[in-house]
Each structure stands twice: as C-alpha cells, then as structure tokens.
Amino acid sequence: MVAYTVWMLEKQNITVSGGGNLDGVTQGDGSHLVGLSITLNSSDWVQTTIEDNDTNFDDNDGTQALAGPQTINGANYASGTRVEAEYRIILSDGDGNTWTAYAYNVNNSATSFATVEGLVFRPDADGNFPPVGVPLTVTFASEGPSGEGTNPYSLYAEPPCFTLGTLIDTPSGPQAVESLKVGDLVLTRDHGAQPLRWIGRVVLTASHLAWHPEHQPICIAEGALAPGVPSQDLRLSPQHRVLVSGWKAELLFAETEVLVPAVALCNDRGISLARSAHEVVYLHLLFDRHEIIFAEGAAVESLHAPWLSRAPLPAALSAELHALFPEIMTGPASQSAVRPCLTVTEGRTLAG
C-alpha cells in the first residue's frame, strides 16, 4: 500500500445554489447538481492522506482508506476509514474555464455511500485551482471513476510555494519570506513595489515527504540559472514557476520570456530534487496581479489567482474583502498570467 495526498475543500466551505446539497441523493451519481451552481467560499484547502494499493482515486474501491486519523469537515475519523470518489462533475465559470471535481466520500458505515464531505479538483488548463467566491455552474455529472488510469492521484495540483528562509526582494532590501506580513511592499519586475494581499502557509510532515518525494522541494543551486542567479541556493515547490528567457524560448514558443515549473528545469547542472528528512514549510504570496518577483535574486512568479477579476462576488464575501482588503477590490482587476505558462513537458523541452 502507498500513501497519496489529496487536497480537498470541505463541504462546510462550499455553497450549492437553491439550497442544494453535495450529498449524492441520486444514488451517488451527482446528477442532482446539473444546472446548479457551486461556490467555493474559502481557500482553506485541507490536506488528506489516502492509502491505496493502486494509483487511482476510485469509486467503490474497498482498498482506499485514510492513512492515519484525520479530521474532515469537522468530524474525526480513524485510520483505515474507507474513502471514495463518489461522483464526478464538471464546473464552468462562464468564461471558458472549466474544472473537474470529485466528491470526497468518507464511507464509514453501510449507509454512507451517498454522503459527501467535500470536493477535490483537477486544475484547469493553466494548472490553477478553481476560483473562490465565484458561482461555478455544474454542466455535467457522472458516477465516480473506476479503473486504473481514470483518475490518477498525480493529476491533482499544488499551490506554488516558497520554502522558509527564502529571501524576497523588497524596497528595504531582501527579507526572509516568513517575516513578510500582509500589506508589506515587495519589489516586482513589472510594477515596482507592490503590497502583499495574502500569505498562505502549508506544512508537509517528514512522513508525508517520505511517501511523496514528488512534493519535495526543487533546489536551484547558486548560479544555476545565470552567473550569480540565484544568489544562493533557492528551494521552491515543484510547480512554482521560474521566468526563463533566451533564444530557445523564442525558437520553440515564439515568446521572449516564459514561466516554467521548477521541476521541469531539473538537470545535472545544479537543479535537482532536494530531499529532506524533516518537515517542509511552504509559503505562497498573493498580490493584486499575478507578478514576477525576485527570490534569492531569481525572477519567479507570485501565486496566480485569476478569480479576482471575476465579479460579481456574493454579498457576504464582497463585504468581507472590502473590510479586510479594500485595495484588492479597487485596484487592478486582471489576474491573467503575467507571462505565458509552460507545462512540465514543454518546460523540459525548453530546458533540455
């Protein structure tokens, strides 16, 4: 048995239009949700760990179980509690962006086949998590996946993050990422000094990293990108994108600059998986726009949050954002990607 990580948003943080419910009332196929909208009310993603004898998150799979005791949607479950992907739905924001979601079912009794404790998502075509505060219309529903290859754990995305100690360029000089606070100014490549709007934090335990080497940081050694860049070893989460320029980008992608996932840059010249026997803390930084910032002198992306441009927001969420972050509501609206973003495969072609 192998342990896999699945990031999910709990049902208590999700609203279904018309007073609807995520529970699989139609024998667990999700068809009762088609035509309704689902709104994610927070970005409080919960890390769950599932033990499985294959690489697929299935429906009706008796070998899938929680790896260790876990709290999900306010309830405590014992290690070994069976979990399933109860149904599959496709959600659309109306602007051509779609996400595939799976109902996360903790099947702890003979009658809980249709209960749903939350949703897990595959990223959109650009590798992004779904937006918060935006009604997403359910356009399709079906029974949960079944069979190897239909829903691999590896297809779930992770937020791009920095590790503790990473020095971020600010107007007052480099500062360790963990010392930054909401409202602090950070230097950006395109728009000068910009205030931080949100800082996220994720802790991956040593046992989690032992089971999931793919979540280990990528180390970009001092000078591996260019002479003196980065200025010292830089550790990023695997999907954190790095700005790359040069003739290869122009030849292969007709772009002078592109953003490439760090994992795609791994080579035998100073960029490699940085295995840690201890826990790793990742932090991610959000601005009004998707920005290029400087970490250890290297140009890298901030957290990409395209949902900020997709008004109108629910009244309660809008009021909260106005109260807590008034500038984020009145500042530049676009959170489109600041540079073309390559997939891992495309990035490896560029780096090869």
Side-chain angles (χ1 to χ4, degrees):
M1 301 286 279
V2 176
Y4 299 94
T5 293
V6 174
W7 292 88
M8 57 96 76
L9 192 66
E10 297 162 303
K11 182 167 61 175
Q12 61 192 5
N13 293 320
I14 297 171
T15 300
V16 181
S17 65
N21 197 299
L22 292 177
D23 289 347
V25 296
T26 49
Q27 294 300 305
D29 65 4
S31 60
H32 65 292
L33 295 171
V34 174
L36 300 180
S37 65
I38 288 176
T39 302
L40 312 186
N41 299 318
S42 83
S43 57
D44 294 334
W45 301 98
V46 172
Q47 176 187 333
T48 71
T49 307
I50 299 172
E51 204 169 47
D52 201 346
N53 68 348
D54 58 41
T55 61
N56 205 57
F57 188 37
D58 279 323
D59 189 14
N60 299 315
D61 185 342
T63 68
Q64 291 169 178
L66 295 177
Q70 297 173 53
T71 301
I72 299 173
N73 201 48
N76 297 322
Y77 297 99
S79 180
T81 302
R82 180 177 167 182
V83 291
E84 299 177 345
E86 186 65 33
Y87 55 75
R88 176 173 72 102
I89 54 176
I90 295 177
L91 303 102
S92 171
D93 66 356
D95 293 331
N97 302 295
T98 61
W99 290 265
T100 299
Y102 298 87
Y104 192 111
N105 167 225
V106 182
N107 193 336
N108 63 327
S109 75
T111 60
S112 65
F113 68 91
T115 63
V116 173
E117 282 65 44
L119 295 177
V120 298
F121 290 85
R122 288 189 186 180
D124 68 6
D126 294 322
N128 299 307
F129 280 103
V132 173
V134 177
L136 304 174
T137 302
V138 180
T139 60
F140 174 84
S142 69
E143 285 282 355
S146 180
E148 186 62 23
T150 58
N151 189 29
Y153 292 103
S154 61
L155 291 184
Y156 296 116
E158 305 168 42
C161 315
F162 298 97
T163 57
L164 291 178
T166 300
L167 295 179
I168 305 296
D169 283 3
T170 76
S172 57
Q175 285 187 229
V177 64
E178 65 269 25
S179 71
L180 295 171
K181 302 182 297 296
V182 170
D184 284 353
L185 294 177
V186 171
L187 292 178
T188 71
R189 178 168 175 151
D190 301 321
H191 304 109
Q194 292 294 317
L196 271 168
R197 299 307 187 194
W198 180 76
I199 301 172
R201 184 184 181 98
V202 177
V203 179
L204 300 184
T205 65
S207 60
H208 169 90
L209 292 168
W211 282 107
H212 294 280
E214 71 274 14
H215 296 162
Q216 294 272 10
I218 302 300
C219 179
I220 302 176
E222 177 183 344
L225 297 176
V229 181
S231 56
Q232 58 183 1
D233 289 0
L234 170 63
R235 287 174 172 80
L236 302 171
S237 63
Q239 296 302 319
H240 201 129
R241 292 179 288 216
V242 177
L243 189 69
V244 174
S245 60
W247 66 268
K248 278 191 174 182
E250 293 192 58
L251 177 65
L252 295 174
F253 302 102
E255 299 286 351
T256 57
E257 296 180 327
V258 292
L259 286 166
V260 181
V263 68
L265 298 175
C266 288
N267 56 35
D268 56 1
R269 301 181 302 279
I271 304 178
S272 60
L273 188 68
R275 295 186 182 275
S276 173
H278 309 287
E279 74 176 22
V280 170
V281 179
Y282 285 132
L283 295 101
H284 27 276
L285 308 179
L286 176 67
F287 299 85
D288 284 333
R289 307 173 180 88
H290 188 213
E291 298 280 9
I292 301 296
I293 62 177
F294 298 93
E296 308 293 1
V300 299
E301 68 169 343
S302 66
L303 179 64
H304 185 206
W307 62 84
L308 292 179
S309 62
R310 299 195 183 130
L313 298 177
L317 179 61
S318 178
E320 179 175 293
L321 290 175
H322 273 291
L324 298 178
F325 310 112
E327 299 87 353
I328 208 170
M329 304 298 290
T330 58
S334 176
Q335 268 278 30
S336 56
V338 69
R339 297 290 191 280
C341 299
L342 303 189
T343 66
V344 172
T345 300
E346 290 171 334
R348 285 174 176 154
T349 300
L350 181 67

